[in-house]
Amino acid sequence: MIRAYDDIIVKTIARILTPFIQIFALYVIMHGHHSPGGGFQGGVILGASLILLFITHGLKETKKRITEKGIAVLSSLGVLIYSGIGLLCIILLGNYLDYGKLSKLLHIVPAEARSLGILGIEIGVGITVMAVMVSIFLNISTGGTLLEDEEDNTR
Amino acid sequence: MRILSLIIVILTAAVLIYGTLDMPDCANPDTPASQHVSPRYVTRAMEETATHNIVTSVLGDYRGYDTLGETTVIFSAGMACILILRKRRRQ
């Protein structure tokens, strides 16, 4: 059961901090090539920012921004991006997940194509991890009801 | 009974410690694990993948199939959570 937190300080600080947390998460995903980080870590930070919103602003308010269907679609979309890049490499006459073959498509040297391929799969991993974190949090915290029927759910 | 458990624990610990005596030293470059594919990763990751972070290039490129499995495991965990916990509204 998640109700909106009844404290203006907590609500305001969470609202101000959330975009910065999300930008940091995107930085962690994008900068995984040059510093510690990557899809898993960045995805968890992104999911944590959404969970912070759910805790402070309540389920009803936050569900207007991210729906249950959207979360389910995002969690499969990440795996689809990952395996889609792998299949694209097969179509371009390479092995599965052999990003060097993407160079034919992008007109760059194979090493750069591999770098971009890694970035693509990291984005896919980040999307899946973020959506699954939020989905598990919502299902456990509301006992699986997700408060669809607010009126007869008085717990 | 307690004495017996203590003896079993000490014996198991002794066997495990004896097993570690054969293991190579920490950070020894001549171990089989460091001689097989690691030199290739360390020396050629930059020119082959144009990625400064060797960990990322191993995770995402050389061991990409493994990371795909990890992502699928996380996806299945989320789907299992939905399937087990989600309660539909009664009609």
Side-chain angles (χ1 to χ4, degrees), chain A residues 1-6 54-59 147 150 153-155:
Chain A
M1 191 67 184
I2 314 166
R3 295 230 177 279
Y5 207 88
D6 197 17
F54 274 114
I55 290 173
T56 52
H57 285 71
L59 197 58
L147 311 186
E150 190 84 15
N153 201 331
T154 48
R155 273 176 300 151

Side-chain angles (χ1 to χ4, degrees), chain A residues 32-35 40 68 75-76 82 96-97 99 111 114-115 121-122 125 132 135 139-140 143-145 148-149, chain B residues 47-53 56-57 60-61 64-65 67-68 70-71 74-75 78-79 81-82 85-87 89:
Chain A
H33 287 61
H34 309 291
S35 63
F40 289 98
E68 190 199 2
S75 62
S76 8
Y82 200 143
Y96 192 60
L97 294 172
Y99 317 122
R114 286 184 174 275
S115 184
I121 63 143
E122 297 279 14
V125 170
V132 167
S135 162
N139 271 301
I140 289 181
T145 60
E148 303 175 287
D149 27 24
Chain B
E47 60 180 285
E48 280 181 350
T49 64
T51 302
H52 295 98
N53 193 351
T56 301
S57 63
D61 196 337
Y65 205 67
T67 312
L68 176 64
E70 282 171 35
T71 316
I74 288 180
F75 172 68
M79 287 302 118
C81 218
I82 290 175
L85 291 172
R86 189 80 173 86
K87 292 194 195 94
R89 190 188 312 185

